[in-house]
Amino acid sequence: KWSVFNKDEPNDQCILPYDANVAQYSNLIFDDEMADYLSGCKATRTIMILDSCYAGGFIDECGAEGRLIMTAADVHQMSYEGYSKHIPIENGVYTYCVLEAMTGAGDSDGNGLVSLEEAADYAAINLQDLTRNVRAILYDGIAGDTYL
């Protein structure tokens, strides 16, 4: 059990910042803490893109109206970093797929723009091809298409 923040969950998900010390919980960002932070945010739209293991668990805590959450892996899956199927990737495989989508490859409706929903769909399909069937998840609590 990772979390001391919420005792009602058997497992909490957390983000480990680059300089995190896993022995000190204060360095980690737990899903419960992120949900509390977001609930106090005055923004009408929030976008989260999480290229990390078990990221789908953040949807349970952080998914709400006005939020779009894209995750690199489902709640019980690892994400992948770097090299995949003979393609040199300098970051997470999901990030690679999202960036490829945003350069135009994900424009499924042919309107010359790539919405985050289109990017998520494109990335999910290509992520499964480049990994061992890792399942990317999209939570879309924003009506209509969302553009950056």
Side-chain angles (χ1 to χ4, degrees):
K1 193 170 186 179
W2 275 96
S3 178
V4 294
F5 189 81
N6 185 346
K7 303 262 191 257
D8 67 346
E9 290 184 65
N11 294 302
D12 271 348
Q13 286 69 43
C14 66
I15 297 171
L16 276 74
Y18 177 77
D19 60 350
N21 177 351
V22 294
Q24 297 177 349
Y25 286 119
S26 62
N27 293 49
L28 308 178
I29 304 166
F30 287 96
D31 55 356
D32 307 279
E33 295 168 314
M34 181 65 78
D36 283 348
Y37 173 77
L38 292 172
S39 69
C41 181
K42 294 180 183 185
T44 58
R45 291 186 179 182
T46 304
I47 297 165
M48 293 174 64
I49 303 173
L50 301 170
D51 187 352
S52 59
C53 300
Y54 318 115
F58 272 78
I59 292 171
D60 289 340
E61 297 293 333
C62 299
E65 185 178 339
R67 296 184 188 154
L68 185 140
I69 305 171
M70 298 167 56
T71 70
D74 205 345
V75 66
H76 299 293
Q77 291 185 313
M78 303 278 288
S79 63
Y80 288 84
E81 187 77 17
Y83 197 81
S84 178
K85 284 195 175 182
H86 309 293
I87 299 171
I89 297 173
E90 297 180 9
N91 46 33
V93 178
Y94 184 69
T95 297
Y96 172 84
C97 293
V98 170
L99 291 174
E100 187 175 63
M102 296 303 286
T103 61
D107 183 13
S108 61
D109 63 9
N111 69 353
L113 302 170
V114 180
S115 70
L116 288 177
E117 292 84 358
E118 287 176 311
D121 289 345
Y122 177 91
I125 292 166
N126 288 283
L127 179 72
Q128 285 194 339
D129 184 47
L130 293 172
T131 65
R132 298 178 191 146
N133 291 321
V134 174
R135 183 174 170 246
I137 306 293
L138 170 67
Y139 173 86
D140 191 358
I142 300 174
D145 290 334
T146 306
Y147 296 94
L148 291 180

